[in-house]
Every structure is written in structure tokens, then in C-alpha cells.
Amino acid sequence: MDTPREIILKQIREALSDVEETFGIPFKKDLYTTRHSSLLTLFQSAFTALHGKFTLCTGAADLNTQLLRRWLDNRWEHVFCDDPELQARYCLDDLPFISARNGLEADAVITGCEYLLARTGTILLTAARRPGRALSVYTPVHIVIATLQQLLPDIAEGIENIKNDYGDNLPSALFFTSGPSRTGDIEKTLVMGVHGPIEVHLFLCL
């Protein structure tokens, strides 16, 4: 005899089957394409709609040029980066305003990320990556460097990839960042940067 839960799940499966047969909607297939070009457009649209600042770079040299331009525009005095992999891959040591000293007093922090989730314009980070869990929330400006290969359709794929990447040594925390921190609790007015960075910049390298 089926339990109430099994009866409900059976009814849902039958309903979806009827809709698929009637309208030809393949519910068993992925709802979002995995082509990078389509995911990029979807991510950029969702991320910028949430007040994220998106920059597309052709490589390390272009990234440095764009970072220098953003530094001049915003007049940041201290940009912190403590990720040796990022520093080496993108030659960040060539930029004089970037240092790995005293991140708690930085105007902006540069980090990598695990994945980019296209449908919601979300950056997936973990505590396993340097500089850990605090500075990406504490620092007024969060700068993220990512690649096209890190684009995924949705949160489910992001979680699954984290499980595959880390196996039994899962990070102590996951973070989902969708643009700058914001709240509408103060007199129903949208306020930015209340409990996190006031700006989130994503530099995506092709």
C-alpha cells in the first residue's frame, strides 16, 4: 500500500507526463542550455539587473588594463589580494596598487570563485578559497575574477560540482553572492551595502 507521500509524488509524475504529451515539453531534459555563449548572456543580464558590475576581458593583459581603469575611476587606495594562483595567472603583482598586506583596511578585495550560476546571476564561493570567508563580506568592494569555463546553468549544477570537486573534504561554508548587499527593511527603501559589500565587480576572462 502506497504511503501518502508516494501517492502525491505519483500524482505529480502523472500530471507532468500529461503536460509533456499534450504540449511536447521535455520535462526530463535540462531547462537551460549549457552553451557558454547563451549562459554568458543569461548571467550578465541577471547579474547586472542586481546592480553587479560586469566586465568581459580577453585575457590577462586586458584584465590588468580594465582593473587599472577601474582603480583610477574609483580612487581606491588599497586593493587586497592574497590568492597566489590569481596573482600568478593574471600577473596581478604588476599592478602597484594591489598588495597582500592588511586586508582588513582594504578598500577592495580581489578573490576568485568556484562557479558562476547563470540563471540567477549568482557567484558561488566557498571558505576553501583564499582569503577565506570574512573579507568578501567585510570589505566595501568585492572584485571577483572568473573564467568562461566556470559558468553553469543553475544552483543545482553548482552544488553537484562542488561535491565532485571536493569529495569527502567539503568546504566549511558556501556563499552565494548576487550583486552587492542590499535590504528594503529600512522604511521600505532599497539600501545598498548594509550587511556586505556596497559594490561587486566581476571580471570574466575568455
Side-chain angles (χ1 to χ4, degrees):
M1 183 176 179
D2 291 339
T3 64
R5 179 178 181 275
E6 290 170 340
I7 292 172
I8 293 172
L9 291 176
K10 183 179 179 180
Q11 291 173 342
I12 292 173
R13 284 193 294 268
E14 290 174 351
L16 289 177
S17 177
D18 291 341
V19 172
E20 182 172 349
E21 291 176 2
T22 304
F23 297 100
I25 301 174
F27 281 99
K28 295 180 181 179
K29 296 182 179 181
D30 292 336
L31 293 178
Y32 306 102
T33 177
T34 56
R35 290 181 299 175
H36 282 148
S37 59
S38 299
L39 290 180
L40 176 57
T41 301
L42 185 61
F43 177 86
Q44 182 177 0
S45 176
F47 183 70
T48 54
L50 295 169
H51 306 284
K53 299 180 184 297
F54 180 89
T55 303
L56 194 63
C57 306
T58 57
D62 187 34
L63 170 68
N64 281 6
T65 299
Q66 299 286 357
L67 273 173
L68 179 60
R69 184 175 302 157
R70 198 65 58 85
W71 172 67
L72 291 171
D73 290 342
N74 291 275
R75 299 184 179 182
W76 297 320
E77 292 184 8
H78 177 197
V79 180
F80 179 83
C81 182
D82 188 30
D83 188 323
E85 181 182 348
L86 287 181
Q87 291 169 329
R89 181 184 299 176
Y90 299 106
C91 305
L92 297 183
D93 290 338
D94 294 343
L95 298 172
F97 56 89
I98 295 177
S99 73
R101 298 194 303 272
N102 199 5
L104 292 177
E105 295 184 1
D107 300 301
V109 61
I110 297 176
T111 75
C113 68
E114 299 289 354
Y115 294 103
L116 305 174
L117 311 178
R119 188 175 72 87
T120 54
T122 299
I123 302 168
L124 173 54
L125 305 106
T126 70
R129 284 184 172 268
R130 298 178 73 166
R133 57 173 82 187
L135 287 182
S136 62
V137 177
Y138 178 82
T139 310
V141 177
H142 185 193
I143 300 170
V144 180
I145 299 175
T147 66
L148 193 63
Q149 287 68 37
Q150 290 173 280
L151 273 168
L152 294 175
D154 209 340
I155 291 177
E157 288 84 354
I159 297 295
E160 190 63 30
N161 277 30
I162 292 293
K163 291 179 180 178
N164 293 335
D165 293 342
Y166 288 95
D168 294 332
N169 298 311
L170 288 173
S172 59
L174 302 182
F175 308 96
F176 297 89
T177 299
S178 300
S181 145
R182 55 201 177 277
T183 181
D185 293 339
I186 304 173
E187 297 184 356
K188 298 182 180 180
T189 300
L190 184 64
V191 180
M192 312 294 285
V194 173
H195 46 72
I198 195 169
E199 294 181 10
V200 176
H201 299 251
L202 177 71
F203 291 83
L204 184 67
C205 289
L206 300 176

